[in-house]
Amino acid sequence: ALAFAVLGALIVRVVLGALNFSTAVIRAAPSPPSEADTIPSYLWELHSSRERSPFVRAEGTKLWRFGEPYRFVGANLWQAMHLGADADAGGDRARLVRELDRLQALGVANLRVMAASEGPDESDESVGAGLVDLALSVGSATPWRVLPSMQPSPGLYNDGVVAGLDFLLVELARRDMTAVLVLGNMWPWSGGFAQYVSWATGEDRIPYMPPAEGGNWDAFQQFVKDFFGSAEARALHAAHVRYVVTRTNAISGVAYADDPTIMAWELAN
């Protein structure tokens, strides 16, 4: 967990540096949210104190928070944004709240969650409309991924799914939990780099791995690796990173870049 946390803390510097933002872990104090119970008040009272900062910061090989070593038990809850989405976007907020409560009771204090999923959202009747069903139907136009997506087409976002990320961050803050937000995916279950290649090249048919009919691991990985050589695909992903990192939470009014609930950003899974 410690190695994972250190890596995450370093990634935040890489992402913010790449976007020409300040790489300082301690940021200027923002205005508190309008709803007093949205985020614990101490996060704002202590925000400007480096020694007692609510932000997780790295010093050497150690993490610190509130002036003390920060150690935690973490877990993957990749689907949390989609669970927190509006009901008409496939979300189930009651389930998300139950799962957060149970994780907290088990001592889990940090969650690694997807802050990205790519469309298109076309599907046939056998797929169904809400999450958190992976579209595993062979007949689906966009199989092997979660639908509906956060970003159905380049630069266009499903507000109902994005709202799930806002809701998640508020609920984590209420429990004094932190998060690693994952901004991309090498694998197709969220769309991922393969979808960016598809958008950039106009190649609609992604050669999926097994258990897709005729699936081949090598063919899929050869297709996905083109992401790194495609300036257009990388630009599309960079635009998504910028969209998330510069977002302001519509529930709390807190800019993501100023939210100590976000421990780190991870460029890709």
Side-chain angles (χ1 to χ4, degrees):
L2 180 58
F4 165 74
V6 171
L7 177 60
L10 295 176
I11 288 172
V12 72
R13 296 176 179 270
V14 174
V15 173
L16 296 180
L19 297 177
N20 296 319
F21 296 126
S22 169
T23 58
V25 175
I26 308 303
R27 307 170 181 86
S31 300
S34 56
E35 298 182 18
D37 64 345
T38 296
I39 290 180
S41 61
Y42 64 79
L43 294 184
W44 309 105
E45 294 168 359
L46 302 176
H47 199 293
S48 60
S49 169
R50 178 178 177 82
E51 291 73 23
R52 295 287 298 166
S53 172
F55 284 97
V56 178
R57 58 189 176 87
E59 289 189 2
T61 59
K62 295 182 179 180
L63 297 177
W64 295 82
R65 192 179 189 218
F66 297 123
E68 300 176 352
Y70 182 59
R71 303 181 180 92
F72 61 87
V73 175
N76 272 307
L77 191 67
W78 69 265
Q79 69 271 37
M81 173 181 70
H82 287 272
L83 283 174
D86 291 342
D88 60 1
D92 186 344
R93 290 184 172 180
R95 173 183 164 184
L96 175 61
V97 168
R98 288 197 307 272
E99 293 195 8
L100 293 179
D101 286 342
R102 289 169 182 171
L103 287 166
Q104 183 183 39
L106 290 170
V108 174
N110 179 279
L111 295 180
R112 181 173 177 262
V113 301
M114 291 300 300
S117 61
E118 293 77 32
D121 287 358
E122 301 162 0
S123 64
D124 64 14
E125 294 179 356
S126 64
V127 175
L131 179 77
V132 152
D133 295 323
L134 284 175
L136 298 179
S137 165
V138 174
S140 172
T142 51
W144 316 113
R145 71 185 69 186
V146 59
L147 297 177
S149 67
M150 180 187 195
Q151 185 182 193
S153 59
L156 296 178
Y157 288 84
N158 183 328
D159 290 339
V161 176
V162 176
L165 194 55
D166 290 346
F167 180 81
L168 170 67
L169 290 173
V170 168
E171 290 299 317
L172 289 176
R174 284 177 171 153
R175 294 163 177 78
D176 193 25
M177 299 170 77
T178 57
V180 176
L181 299 191
V182 184
L183 299 165
N185 196 358
M186 179 75 174
W187 306 107
W189 46 263
S190 66
F193 288 174
Q195 187 58 53
Y196 283 115
V197 172
S198 176
W199 282 335
T201 63
E203 176 54 68
D204 292 333
R205 296 188 63 82
I206 296 173
Y208 293 106
M209 73 282 273
E213 184 177 356
N216 183 282
W217 281 100
D218 289 340
F220 175 76
Q221 292 183 78
Q222 287 297 316
F223 185 86
V224 174
K225 78 176 181 59
D226 289 343
F227 170 86
F228 300 100
S230 169
E232 184 175 353
R234 287 185 283 108
L236 291 173
H237 179 246
H240 173 70
V241 171
R242 185 173 289 105
Y243 173 84
V244 176
V245 173
T246 62
R247 178 173 176 77
T248 295
N249 192 309
I251 300 173
S252 67
V254 179
Y256 279 26
D258 292 323
D259 191 346
T261 307
I262 301 173
M263 185 187 83
W265 314 89
E266 185 174 347
L267 284 173
N269 174 55

